[in-house]
Amino acid sequence: MNLLPKSTADFGSTEYWNNFFRKRGKQAFEWYGEYPELCTQLHQYIKPKDEILVVGCGNSKLSMDLYDVGFKKITNIDISPVVIKQMQDANRFNRPEMTWNQMDATAMTFPNESFSVVLDKGTLDALFTDESTSVVTMVQKYFAEIGRVLRPAGRYVCISLLQEHILREVVNHFPAAHFMLRIVRCPDAGKGRGTEDSPNADGSSLVVFAIVATKLKNMPLRVLELGLAGSHIERVQRADELIAAVAATQKAAMVCNGLARGSIAGMAEVSLDLFSPSEKNLPRYTIHVLDQAPKRGNGKYAAFIVPQGRETEWLFATPVGRRKLQESAKFDRLAIVTLHRGHVYADLEAVKTELAESVKSLAPQGLQGTAIPYLSIGAEVGRRETIHTGHSELSGEYVVEEIAGENGRLLRRLVFLSNQSVVQSEAALKMARVRGSRAAQKVIDPGYLACQHHLFMTVGVQLAANMDRKSDNDFCPIAVVGLGGGGLCTFIRECLKKTTITAVEIDPEIEQIAVKYFGLTLDARLRVVIADGLQFLADEVARGAHYSALLFDVDSKDSSVGMSCPPAAFLERAVLANVRKLTGETGLFVLNLVCRNEALRETTVEALKQAFRYVLSYQLEEDVNEIFYCTDNERLKEVTNWQDLLRTAANDVNKMARKEKLTHEQELVDLSDFITALKI
């Protein structure tokens, strides 16, 4: 039997409701939840001494349940005489003090200021079916009647789904009519029970709210409050903030309902941000939900908590990496949780407790009531310590922080807050004695290369040195466009002792950060030029400069073009012509390219081939970086020469790194696969 209306306009008609209650008979109709699911909110705003008017009572048990727990002064009205007769007959003897009246809530006959509470469960939603002039006029009459029959300090408590047009009218009307307005979520209400005629019979949940409008004599300021998480109430300044917060809550519930109903295997992952009630502008957690076709594995659903500071690693930061993590975890559904900077997390158990309800809400149907296993790396929540915060005129707010990485290794990072998922620079820390200090202190490890592509750029520098240097006593001049934290420059300086390095950086703040926090040492072999990289190239050509190797390791601020490194302007014909002039007949141009657009990559390769006689590339296995080696040097005319010379350069880098005690397993690996992967 289908008792839902065919059109939402039917909700406002007396005939519809008469027909509805005749069909339903004595069975109560509780779309938004029964008394046990609403009592937490109701008892907060309604007291036993209140004189309560229940508008649009229908055949809901809510009035009877309130009466039975001590709320005796209850008057009920409804537009349907059929339901009023039903309720009078049902309650005449058991609840003699409660009254039932057939009455239109938009034209009530009660005297002014008759009640201390007006209680509405779904009536506003039933009346406010659309935004037509006639409906809006009717709702405004209804609100005016509520204001008339309420006493000063009286409350209008309305249980509603808060569709956007309803919320906007509520926000517009009540503060202007000298009401303090509060919107709170009813977290236990609206749960689908799977009954035949439940509107959410698939087990999904409606998002139910309570509107609490308190009538005051004079309100010089609009008072808007929100309570969307537990008992926490926060005040908001603008109506659009309140509306956006409610909409975000509703959308999140829609996502959870969709995940409960079915699998998203073969589709893109679903991501949600979770906010602390007191810090609504700063996400506390992000959850990525992935499904795969059911397999014989460990189970159907689990949550994986990524320790602080590890969220930028490939396995956790990229969709491909997270898919690989899910496959190795062997769960049909995996919720991968990352923790955000700017928050304090006591320990892993505290995080699990805090996440419990949210993780449960993302479970497949039938598993919401079962114990959900939590996975992580070790038993710690990780650590993140802010060392410095600052502002760059070019890049905005930034933070320098320390985190415990893999195997507990202490890492220092530079992160721009405009793009928090990307680590701009990273250095490893080690304990060492500093001159003038007796105790060991934290210092930057110059042998640590955070980015795998920096190793292959270093090999390019050594290749250029081997080709361009006249004798072993000569120094090889190189230029690096893009300083960052200076990790690449520091490694080249420490490893390749016969180099002089000019680092070009457009942002003076970055130079200060690199020196103060990332161990960049400026001396006769390493200098920083603060300049626009394009202008620097032009100026160097004008003065007749020559570089054995010229490296581009500069990121783009424009993520919309599909190429994040370098900026497109650095690959224009005139710029590449300047690079060609600076490297001459024997030097080498090394380009770090990060491009997700295949057509744009092909255009870039063609531009490089037009500028240089010989172009080879190496695609990193896990990262999106691709290293290009470009030259006019005739020694590299044959592919076999490339392979021989690169093998020699790679061996030289490994040998010199070991000599300087810069070797670490994760950076300085066997480069034989690197040689064979190069291609013209």
Side-chain angles (χ1 to χ4, degrees):
M1 177 172 61
N2 180 16
L3 295 178
L4 294 177
K6 296 178 182 178
S7 166
T8 55
D10 292 338
F11 277 117
S13 88
T14 303
E15 183 178 348
Y16 169 76
W17 288 111
N18 280 336
N19 184 48
F20 179 94
F21 287 115
R22 283 194 187 98
K23 287 184 177 180
R24 197 166 185 89
K26 296 180 180 180
Q27 185 178 2
F29 186 58
E30 307 289 358
W31 283 11
Y32 299 173
E34 298 181 356
Y35 168 76
E37 297 154 353
L38 298 170
C39 64
T40 299
Q41 285 71 38
L42 294 179
H43 285 199
Q44 187 171 354
Y45 302 108
I46 306 175
K47 305 304 177 185
K49 66 179 181 180
D50 281 319
E51 294 188 49
I52 305 165
L53 171 64
V54 179
V55 291
C57 61
N59 68 349
S60 169
K61 291 176 58 184
L62 182 59
S63 295
M64 295 179 280
D65 290 331
L66 284 170
Y67 187 98
D68 292 344
V69 296
F71 295 81
K72 302 301 183 183
K73 301 175 184 178
I74 301 177
T75 299
N76 302 274
I77 66 170
D78 197 276
I79 197 171
S80 168
V82 173
V83 77
I84 289 298
K85 180 67 165 59
Q86 287 178 0
M87 300 307 282
Q88 285 173 338
D89 292 344
N91 293 282
R92 180 174 291 113
F93 299 108
N94 294 334
R95 302 173 182 90
E97 298 175 56
M98 190 156 55
T99 61
W100 306 85
N101 301 292
Q102 190 275 323
M103 192 180 296
D104 184 347
T106 67
M108 293 183 278
T109 58
F110 301 115
N112 294 347
E113 301 181 357
S114 298
F115 301 98
S116 55
V117 171
V118 174
L119 178 58
D120 170 344
K121 193 180 85 166
T123 297
L124 176 60
D125 291 9
L127 292 174
F128 209 161
T129 55
D130 56 53
E131 297 180 83
S132 64
T133 302
S134 59
V135 169
V136 172
T137 300
M138 177 178 61
V139 170
Q140 289 173 345
K141 289 174 61 179
Y142 174 54
F143 285 166
E145 280 293 273
I146 290 169
R148 184 183 67 81
V149 301
L150 270 178
R151 297 169 186 157
R155 283 89 64 206
Y156 171 53
V157 181
C158 174
I159 308 300
S160 169
L161 299 182
L162 279 187
Q163 291 172 272
E164 183 179 355
H165 68 283
I166 295 177
L167 178 56
R168 288 192 180 277
E169 187 64 28
V170 166
V171 170
N172 287 336
H173 174 83
F174 284 102
H178 304 293
F179 280 75
M180 183 175 73
L181 181 62
R182 177 180 291 182
I183 305 293
V184 298
R185 185 175 181 182
C186 306
D188 298 322
K191 302 292 178 65
R193 297 175 180 78
T195 58
E196 177 187 358
D197 48 6
S198 170
N200 47 341
D202 58 2
S204 62
S205 300
L206 300 170
V207 188
V208 178
F209 300 90
I211 302 166
V212 184
T214 303
K215 179 180 176 181
L216 301 172
K217 286 186 176 180
N218 288 298
M219 284 286 293
L221 298 175
R222 292 161 61 97
V223 178
L224 304 173
E225 295 180 334
L226 265 175
L228 300 181
S231 59
H232 178 81
I233 303 296
E234 61 180 312
R235 185 162 294 184
V236 298
Q237 299 301 316
R238 303 192 313 274
D240 59 345
E241 288 183 70
L242 186 148
I243 292 168
V246 170
T249 302
Q250 293 166 326
K251 288 176 183 177
M254 289 175 61
V255 170
C256 294
N257 289 341
L259 289 170
R261 288 195 293 270
S263 171
I264 56 171
M267 301 166 61
E269 62 187 31
V270 170
S271 301
L272 301 94
D273 286 332
L274 303 181
F275 294 81
S276 169
S278 60
E279 296 175 315
K280 63 182 185 304
N281 294 321
L282 185 65
R284 184 165 173 81
Y285 301 100
T286 293
I287 303 182
H288 302 280
V289 183
L290 301 88
D291 278 349
Q292 61 182 348
K295 298 178 180 178
R296 288 186 178 180
N298 297 331
K300 291 187 176 181
Y301 178 48
F304 187 101
I305 300 174
V306 181
Q308 291 184 90
R310 305 288 298 274
E311 69 278 352
T312 56
E313 295 176 16
W314 177 82
L315 192 63
F316 312 121
T318 65
V320 175
R322 290 190 287 267
R323 182 65 64 190
K324 204 169 192 67
L325 176 62
Q326 183 194 22
E327 290 170 358
S328 64
K330 299 180 181 178
F331 282 86
D332 300 341
R333 172 170 292 175
L334 188 66
I336 301 173
V337 184
T338 57
L339 287 61
H340 286 259
R341 63 179 48 82
H343 296 278
V344 175
Y345 305 91
D347 53 40
L348 195 58
E349 289 307 312
V351 168
K352 291 178 184 179
T353 300
E354 192 173 19
L355 286 169
E357 287 300 316
S358 297
V359 167
K360 189 195 310 180
S361 71
L362 300 171
Q365 190 171 351
L367 292 183
Q368 287 88 348
T370 62
I372 298 168
Y374 283 84
L375 316 174
S376 190
I377 303 171
E380 300 297 328
V381 75
R383 64 175 290 262
R384 190 199 313 265
E385 180 183 357
T386 299
I387 303 302
H388 175 69
T389 60
H391 175 80
S392 160
E393 292 297 328
L394 294 177
S395 302
E397 304 296 325
Y398 67 84
V399 59
V400 178
E401 61 187 17
E402 291 179 4
I403 67 105
E406 191 173 1
N407 299 322
R409 187 171 201 175
L410 192 59
L411 302 174
R412 182 172 291 173
R413 290 174 171 174
L414 169 64
V415 177
F416 290 113
L417 298 185
S418 59
N419 190 7
Q420 298 192 39
S421 62
V422 175
V423 175
Q424 205 283 336
S425 298
E426 180 180 276
L429 297 168
K430 63 181 182 179
M431 301 303 294
R433 286 192 176 181
V434 181
R435 182 179 297 177
S437 174
R438 293 182 178 180
Q441 297 181 4
K442 286 190 298 186
V443 297
I444 298 296
D445 183 350
Y448 176 80
L449 286 175
C451 304
Q452 190 185 17
H453 71 272
H454 281 171
L455 174 61
F456 301 106
M457 298 187 84
T458 303
V459 170
V461 171
Q462 182 59 27
L463 171 64
N466 290 344
M467 294 190 304
D468 198 41
R469 198 166 48 195
K470 300 293 188 298
S471 70
D472 290 342
N473 294 324
D474 291 337
F475 278 82
C476 174
I478 72 168
V480 180
V481 181
L483 174 66
L488 174 60
C489 293
T490 295
F491 183 80
I492 294 173
R493 178 183 176 279
E494 296 296 321
C495 183
L496 308 181
K497 296 293 188 180
K498 289 296 183 177
T499 57
T500 59
I501 306 161
T502 298
V504 185
E505 174 58 51
I506 194 172
D507 189 347
E509 185 77 10
I510 294 296
E511 179 189 6
Q512 299 303 314
I513 295 169
V515 170
K516 188 171 182 179
Y517 298 103
F518 289 87
L520 184 70
T521 301
L522 303 181
D523 55 17
R525 288 189 51 226
L526 174 56
R527 70 180 183 126
V528 174
V529 176
I530 301 299
D532 179 280
L534 302 178
Q535 187 61 49
F536 169 83
L537 297 174
D539 292 344
E540 291 296 274
V541 168
R543 76 175 186 88
H546 170 77
Y547 291 97
S548 297
L550 184 53
L551 284 61
F552 279 7
D553 190 32
V554 55
D555 64 337
S556 172
K557 304 301 182 186
D558 184 2
S559 59
S560 64
V561 297
M563 184 167 66
S564 56
C565 186
F570 280 77
L571 298 174
E572 292 179 358
R573 181 177 298 179
V575 176
L576 293 177
N578 283 339
V579 172
R580 165 67 183 77
K581 292 173 184 176
L582 291 172
T583 53
E585 296 290 336
T586 56
L588 186 72
F589 172 48
V590 184
L591 168 67
N592 172 32
L593 180 71
V594 180
C595 185
R596 294 171 176 81
N597 184 314
E598 187 58 35
L600 188 56
R601 180 194 173 277
E602 290 178 6
T603 301
T604 299
V605 172
E606 286 304 313
L608 294 173
K609 286 183 175 180
Q610 288 177 18
F612 297 91
R613 290 193 186 117
Y614 312 114
V615 178
L616 278 80
S617 73
Y618 174 72
Q619 176 67 61
L620 272 67
E621 198 168 312
E622 288 190 347
D623 295 333
V624 293
N625 304 71
E626 187 173 8
I627 304 303
F628 283 84
Y629 303 88
C630 312
T631 187
D632 283 357
N633 196 317
E634 289 293 334
R635 294 180 63 184
L636 299 177
K637 185 175 181 179
E638 302 295 333
V639 174
T640 53
N641 290 351
W642 274 104
Q643 292 173 332
D644 289 343
L645 289 168
L646 277 165
R647 184 176 289 108
T648 298
N651 289 335
D652 288 345
V653 170
N654 275 329
K655 182 172 65 175
M656 285 183 278
R658 292 189 186 98
K659 178 182 177 182
E660 301 298 332
K661 300 181 180 180
L662 301 173
T663 303
H664 300 293
E665 288 184 10
Q666 71 180 70
E667 293 92 20
L668 298 177
V669 295
D670 179 8
L671 298 179
S672 58
D673 63 328
F674 161 69
I675 306 302
T676 57
L678 287 166
K679 55 190 177 183
I680 292 181

